[in-house]
Amino acid sequence: MTRPVNNSPDTAAALKRLQQKVSSLADDVDDLQTEQRLLSSRIREVDDHTDELDTGLQEAREAHDELRTDVRDDLATVTATVRDLASSVGWMERRLRAEHDLTPAPLDAADDTLRQLAARARRGNESESVLLTPAQRAAEQREITALDTAVKRIAQDTELAVRQSATLATTAMDAPGHANAAVMFRTLTATIEGTRQQLPRLRKNAAEARRKLEQDDEHREVHGPQVMTGTSARAQLTARLRARLDTAVADGALLPTWFTFALGHQPVAEDVDAWMQLATDLLAYRVTYEVTDPAVALGHGTHDDPRREAWRTELDEQLQNRRRWPLRQHHR
């Protein structure tokens, strides 16, 4: 049996609204499709731009690598040229010395006075080697201070904990301040316990620090005068050598081979002070340890004296860092 079609006004209106929604959805679908096409186009453009950037980056890397290789090659060429030039200058200098019977300034020649000063400086260094440095003494003192600080902290925290305990004992649980006192009391007791657990270690470290400082005090009573004498001798030695170097440079004197190999023939204008200081230190080292090598400023080989090795290493590093002269020491 066929049902009759409902042609009521309500049905027609509902149908019309449905048709409008469908039409609106169709328009939305068209808009979305348009947006999708635009987005796809933009994605392709971004991909193309990314490819261009990747290509440019790769070209830049290749250019950078090529430039670095060229610079390295040029630097090697310049270095070799400078070394050859330095060798030629050295050869001409030796020829001039031989032809004109020129004698280099005896910068590191040691007379009796210099030898005595150098000997006292060495003995002072040896005596100083058994003493704690200021930094070491300060470190030991910090161990003692750490114990004293911990003991004082326990006393202070205990006093505060007693006050909080009195508050807890004299106030009701719901009274103002009772809860805060309880929290403070628990915190203080935990802090005190933690500090007390550290005391054995702190007492051990402090006792060892006191022993080292007392031993150092005894050593200073024995070696102190010789250390002071060595310090004074070292200062006098340095002053005499600096005066000798000042005169040689001012007079344009011919400098020894080991000196020019290490520092060149003269300082540059902006580097005079550093150059003169390093040159004086080199002279002091050679005189102090009787280095006589005619070509190598610091001599060859290692030594048992740790203070000498430390000084030698420091001087060698300064020479390496100068980057002023192509012929540098590479010996350790």
Side-chain angles (χ1 to χ4, degrees), residues 208-224:
E208 180 65 15
R210 288 193 184 93
R211 184 191 66 78
K212 290 181 179 179
L213 290 174
E214 290 172 358
Q215 185 181 56
D216 189 56
D217 290 338
E218 294 174 358
H219 288 164
R220 287 178 184 278
E221 291 182 3
V222 176
H223 300 283

Side-chain angles (χ1 to χ4, degrees), residues 247-266:
T247 300
V249 173
D251 293 343
L254 189 64
L255 302 177
T257 300
W258 66 263
F259 189 100
T260 56
F261 278 7
L263 289 167
H265 294 272
Q266 63 182 16

